[in-house]
Amino acid sequence: MSARSGTPDSVGRAGDERNALSRSSAGEGSPLGGVASVTGDATRAGPSQAARASASARPARQEKDGTDVLARPVVIGASVSAGAASRDHQGRTVDLAVALDGWITSPHPPTRSFASSATFLDPVAETRRQVEAATQAQPSIVFALDVCFWPVHAKASSEAERLARLDSVLAALAAIDAPLVLGDVPDRDEARTTILAGLELSAPATRIEANERIRAWAAARPHVVLVPLAEFVRRAAAGEELRLAGATVEGETAMAFLAPDRLHASALGVSALAGVALDELVARGLLQRTSLAPTLAVAIERRAPIPGSLPIEDEANVAEQQVVVVQRLVDARKLLAAQDPAALERGIELVEMVPSRLSSPCEMQLVRDLAAMSSAARRTLESYLATCALRAVSADARPADYARWVLVAAGLRDTSAMRAAAQAYRDALTRNAPRTSGEQRLADSAYDALDGTDDIAAGLFWPDPESTMKRWQREADDHAAALRAAGIAHAAAPDSVKGKAAIRRAPPARGARLVTYLRAAGREDDATNVEALLPTS
């Protein structure tokens, strides 16, 4: 079992989807009806009780196949739809659009996604933005499985405010006249025991009332298909069996549908959830089963990663990524200069891309300046910091998760968060040393954010400071040799901006600061070892 989450280790990591699937078995019966089977005969799938009741209560648009309804599929929603904690075995993000495309076998364009992991910052405004973008795309169908989550669960001054936000979101969704696949609101009480406790999730009675409103709203609109997301999540969290078409998913496997943070879906869970949503469409007569992959395993094999969603160790397209990062940084800065509230969302989207590895001071300063906009902006960033921390302590955390936690903590000058993030990154580096230059640069980027911001956090960061100091010196020597070989003179006036930066980055100066930081963190032996490597003159 995972010590952090209570999730079996074999299902708590992104790379174990096939292991989890192998534990599924065919069988009958469950409140959750058929999606294409994990194993077994897909023709045995049956609609859920909720879907049968829904179909009998209001008319469904009948289609001979899924061609029309899948002509222009669109996704809107929050972090689960955006794939915030969903990575496959290669570390690539799997969002709901990718998962849907894995299931859909009939000819269709790639599913477009306007979902955002920043929805929790302002659920109403973000939903309105996404609905506008979706309607402009003239969708044939809209999947909005988690769009109602944050209106109910995000921070609020009262429970009444949560319900008012939900009403506003439902009013925004009313602008969609295409078939709308909507999820109800799951209880995430387990998340209260995690770092997300600061998000002040809603009271149980509020969630119950919210789901009653959602059901009533959906019942009055024939084009809305309601997916029992709350029941799906409850069963997965409890490790209970659930039905996926012609197969029974055992409890241990169902637990793998949730990410270790117990709040988001895993990559396997996003694909399973996509299957649940599509099954409800089959039950309503909007799709034929023949338009879908026959099993969950096949759907997973068919899905493609989000374009541009590269694992951090993949060195391909790094230059192209930097261009995008710089452009987004410029855009966020322009909005910030104009005191446009959209700057906050754009800034978080920039950090969400993954830290750029080459401009951590820029990103850290952007977080700092965004926090200075207003007390409300700072509170929003503090909530975002909690989300970053949660990702980093999950069982399948990757280097970018640790670096993002460090950068945001440093940007907010949150001393305790910086030290916790530094210790967590150090533990991660102890378990797995950087495998590529990209991962090494990412670690250096995170350390640079702490260098000069908090002595103790910087002193906690490196697991082997002596080896780090030797690497800095070796890299500096190699760089100087390359410049000499090319006949490039790189010396700058010591009092110039460039000259001062070069002096600060030089190994003697970096090493001297590292010694100070190590002593501040109580690592006297390490400080002595690094000090012995410094020039005596």
Side-chain angles (χ1 to χ4, degrees):
M1 301 290 285
S2 168
R4 287 195 181 97
S5 66
T7 304
D9 286 338
S10 62
V11 298
R13 296 180 176 85
D16 291 300
E17 292 178 297
R18 293 180 181 177
N19 291 340
L21 289 176
S22 68
R23 288 188 290 271
S24 302
S25 60
E28 299 293 340
S30 167
L32 281 172
V35 300
S37 63
V38 180
T39 60
D41 184 2
T43 62
R44 291 160 55 190
S48 69
Q49 293 174 357
R52 284 194 294 268
S54 174
S56 62
R58 53 188 186 274
R61 215 176 57 158
Q62 299 294 323
E63 303 287 350
K64 292 183 179 179
D65 56 38
T67 303
D68 292 343
V69 77
L70 297 176
R72 291 176 303 279
V74 165
V75 170
I76 63 174
S79 50
V80 169
S81 294
S86 311
R87 299 185 181 93
D88 66 11
H89 65 284
Q90 293 181 314
R92 299 171 186 261
T93 300
V94 176
D95 67 1
L96 185 62
V98 166
L100 287 167
D101 287 342
W103 278 103
I104 301 168
T105 58
S106 59
H108 73 291
T111 301
R112 298 186 65 182
S113 179
F114 300 101
S116 171
S117 58
T119 298
F120 74 95
L121 302 176
D122 189 339
V124 176
E126 178 60 24
T127 299
R128 288 171 178 163
R129 184 191 71 79
Q130 291 183 28
V131 167
E132 181 180 1
T135 53
Q136 288 177 355
Q138 299 182 321
S140 59
I141 187 168
V142 176
F143 293 85
L145 297 185
D146 60 342
V147 76
C148 292
F149 183 88
W150 284 117
V152 177
H153 283 313
K155 277 189 174 182
S157 59
S158 67
E159 297 303 295
E161 181 186 348
R162 300 179 191 277
L163 293 172
R165 278 194 310 229
L166 175 64
D167 289 342
S168 297
V169 163
L170 292 175
L173 294 174
I176 298 173
D177 56 11
L180 174 64
V181 186
L182 185 66
D184 56 8
V185 181
D187 175 24
R188 300 313 304 124
D189 193 63
E190 290 178 74
R192 298 174 195 270
T193 63
T194 71
I195 299 172
L196 282 186
L199 293 181
E200 300 173 2
L201 301 178
S202 65
T206 301
R207 187 185 68 85
I208 292 171
E209 169 64 20
N211 281 335
E212 289 177 354
R213 295 189 184 192
I214 293 169
R215 283 191 288 270
W217 186 88
R221 292 164 174 80
H223 68 291
V224 176
V225 177
L226 190 59
V227 174
L229 178 61
E231 178 68 4
F232 176 84
V233 171
R234 185 194 69 77
R235 284 180 170 273
E240 296 181 5
E241 288 185 353
L242 52 82
R243 290 281 298 163
L244 297 183
T248 295
V249 177
E250 297 177 358
E252 186 178 11
T253 299
M255 290 177 69
F257 290 166
L258 297 183
D261 61 17
R262 318 302 292 160
L263 183 73
H264 297 97
S266 64
L268 175 63
V270 172
S271 284
L273 184 56
V276 168
L278 291 167
D279 185 64
E280 296 297 331
L281 292 174
V282 170
R284 287 285 300 276
L286 292 171
L287 283 179
Q288 290 292 317
R289 177 80 46 202
T290 53
S291 298
L292 305 177
T295 68
L296 177 57
V298 171
I300 289 171
E301 289 295 329
R302 294 183 71 255
R303 73 190 181 200
I306 295 176
S309 172
L310 297 174
I312 201 65
E313 63 268 20
D314 193 332
E315 293 297 296
N317 299 324
V318 168
E320 181 179 347
Q321 183 187 41
Q322 293 303 315
V323 172
V324 175
V325 167
V326 171
Q327 184 57 58
R328 292 198 179 190
L329 181 62
V330 170
D331 292 344
R333 279 287 173 193
K334 287 180 179 177
L335 291 170
L336 181 60
Q339 288 296 293
D340 188 326
L344 187 61
E345 180 182 342
R346 296 295 173 264
I348 289 178
E349 287 180 351
L350 171 66
V351 178
E352 275 292 299
M353 284 186 65
V354 301
S356 69
R357 299 181 280 179
L358 298 182
S359 59
S360 61
C362 297
E363 294 161 340
M364 181 179 67
Q365 189 60 48
L366 177 62
V367 171
R368 193 161 292 170
D369 293 343
L370 290 170
M373 287 179 65
S374 65
S375 57
R378 183 173 182 87
R379 287 194 299 271
T380 295
L381 286 165
E382 287 171 346
S383 292
Y384 176 59
L385 174 62
T387 300
C388 293
L390 183 65
R391 292 172 180 167
V393 300
S394 67
D396 58 352
R398 300 184 68 81
D401 296 313
Y402 296 105
R404 192 177 292 114
W405 186 12
V406 170
L407 285 170
V408 177
L412 291 173
R413 292 192 177 94
D414 186 322
T415 301
S416 61
M418 280 190 283
R419 294 173 186 178
Q423 183 64 60
Y425 208 157
R426 173 184 169 184
D427 293 343
L429 292 171
T430 300
R431 292 190 300 270
N432 297 293
R435 294 167 293 173
T436 66
S437 59
E439 288 188 358
Q440 187 62 72
R441 288 198 303 270
L442 190 64
D444 285 334
S445 176
Y447 174 77
D448 289 345
L450 300 173
D451 184 0
T453 305
D454 183 77
D455 288 5
I456 293 178
L460 290 171
F461 190 86
W462 295 112
D464 187 350
E466 185 177 359
S467 294
T468 298
M469 181 64 211
K470 291 177 180 178
R471 176 175 61 83
W472 287 344
Q473 185 61 63
R474 184 172 62 254
E475 290 172 349
D477 290 345
D478 290 346
H479 181 65
L483 291 177
R484 286 195 301 270
I488 299 174
H490 65 287
D495 57 347
S496 67
V497 173
K498 185 176 180 180
K500 290 177 180 178
I503 292 172
R504 178 175 173 79
R505 292 287 297 177
R510 294 183 84 184
R513 292 197 304 278
L514 180 57
V515 169
T516 299
Y517 301 152
L518 291 168
R519 289 194 167 121
R523 301 174 67 181
E524 183 59 39
D525 289 346
D526 286 326
T528 300
N529 292 338
V530 171
E531 195 169 35
L533 299 174
L534 299 178
T536 55
S537 56

